Amino acid sequence: MTKAKNEELQTRCDLLQQEIYFAKPSSSSSNVMSYDRIKESNFWVNFCTSSSSTLMFMACFNFLHASASCMRLWKGSATSSEDLPHLGSKRGPKPKLRLIDQFLLVMMRLHLGLGEDDLAFRFGVSQSTVSRLTTSSVNLMYHKFKQLPVWLPRRSVDRLMPPCFKVWYPTTRVIIDCTELFICTPSSLARQSATWSKSSSASLPIAMSRLCQTPTKDLFRTKP
């Protein structure tokens, strides 16, 4: 048996041992991270998820709830990313985490940038569960959130427009900004090529962002 085969089997054995460990009932389950532990505090909801309040967090969760309740979890490279948004009548085995806690886990991964092993320890699940859940949920969120309108009505833009814009830029609808975000180097050579920045010597996907019009005082004083 080759050395590579031995290492592969050892890795699989370690993963199975981790799955067995987290499947055991814990006497300290009250210490496991859950939405119930932070729902009474807007501060902790904001700290963990970036939502301004519990009400905002729940509004987002309720929007995703129907689709998330029958979401298929990603199962590796054999699962096409195009298949993930499609929902079936059977979700599979009953998950260990409630849907609200799954959403909290994903939001903490996105907002705080916590590692998969860290989140696995906090929520009392395995690292592979965190990985599959994050991949599936982010894909679902993308397909659901892109259905929401992103452009404010003209009357709303006029109402929220700063006074200086009303004078010098009265027809402004939106301000577009371009930014670069540091990411981990993708394993795919095609994606490495698509995200590589020669000027920064790093993987930096360029993102276009929309700056919403909000009432500010004398945002710009310069003439066009």
Side-chain angles (χ1 to χ4, degrees), residues 46-57:
N46 176 260
F47 177 83
C48 293
T49 70
S50 81
S51 297
S52 57
S53 65
T54 301
L55 184 63
M56 186 65 67
F57 178 82

Side-chain angles (χ1 to χ4, degrees), residues 2-213:
T2 63
K3 180 179 179 181
K5 187 66 174 179
N6 285 335
E7 292 178 350
E8 180 184 355
L9 291 175
Q10 182 62 47
T11 301
R12 292 178 60 186
C13 181
D14 293 340
L15 290 174
L16 288 173
Q17 289 179 345
Q18 188 180 34
E19 293 275 3
I20 293 173
Y21 172 79
F22 284 115
K24 295 179 180 179
S26 174
S27 58
S28 59
S29 58
S30 60
N31 294 326
V32 174
M33 185 63 180
S34 70
Y35 175 67
D36 292 338
R37 297 188 63 187
I38 65 171
K39 65 181 181 181
E40 302 298 333
S41 171
N42 286 334
F43 169 81
W44 284 112
V45 170
N46 176 260
F47 177 83
C48 293
T49 70
S50 81
S51 297
S52 57
S53 65
T54 301
L55 184 63
M56 186 65 67
F57 178 82
M58 288 304 302
C60 185
F61 172 72
N62 290 333
F63 175 73
L64 299 170
H65 181 271
S67 298
S69 61
C70 52
M71 176 182 67
R72 297 174 185 171
L73 290 184
W74 184 73
K75 295 182 179 179
S77 57
T79 305
S80 170
S81 60
E82 297 179 356
D83 296 334
L84 291 175
H86 300 295
L87 307 173
S89 58
K90 292 185 66 178
R91 178 185 171 90
K94 184 177 180 180
K96 184 175 181 179
L97 295 177
R98 301 175 302 167
L99 279 178
I100 188 70
D101 293 330
Q102 293 179 29
F103 182 55
L104 174 62
L105 183 152
V106 173
M107 292 302 294
M108 290 177 65
R109 171 77 167 147
L110 295 175
H111 177 54
L112 300 176
L114 300 178
E116 293 179 349
D117 290 316
D118 188 330
L119 289 168
F121 179 78
R122 291 171 187 260
F123 284 84
V125 295
S126 65
Q127 177 273 333
S128 59
T129 296
V130 174
S131 177
R132 293 196 303 268
L133 180 60
T134 302
T135 302
S136 306
S137 298
V138 169
N139 194 284
L140 175 67
M141 290 164 68
Y142 164 74
H143 284 275
K144 291 294 292 182
F145 285 136
K146 73 177 182 179
Q147 301 172 12
L148 298 176
V150 296
W151 298 105
L152 289 174
R154 179 74 249 182
R155 61 181 181 276
S156 298
V157 174
D158 292 339
R159 178 172 56 85
L160 298 173
M161 188 179 295
C164 60
F165 267 71
K166 292 181 179 180
V167 175
W168 301 112
Y169 312 99
T171 61
T172 301
R173 185 64 183 269
V174 68
I175 302 174
I176 302 295
D177 185 31
C178 183
T179 186
E180 293 180 329
L181 305 174
F182 284 92
I183 63 171
C184 296
T185 303
S187 57
S188 168
L189 293 179
R191 293 179 179 177
Q192 287 184 30
S193 176
T195 60
W196 182 256
S197 173
K198 292 183 179 179
S199 60
S200 302
S201 298
S203 294
L204 294 167
I206 299 176
M208 300 294 289
S209 61
R210 175 178 63 92
L211 304 183
C212 299
Q213 289 280 7

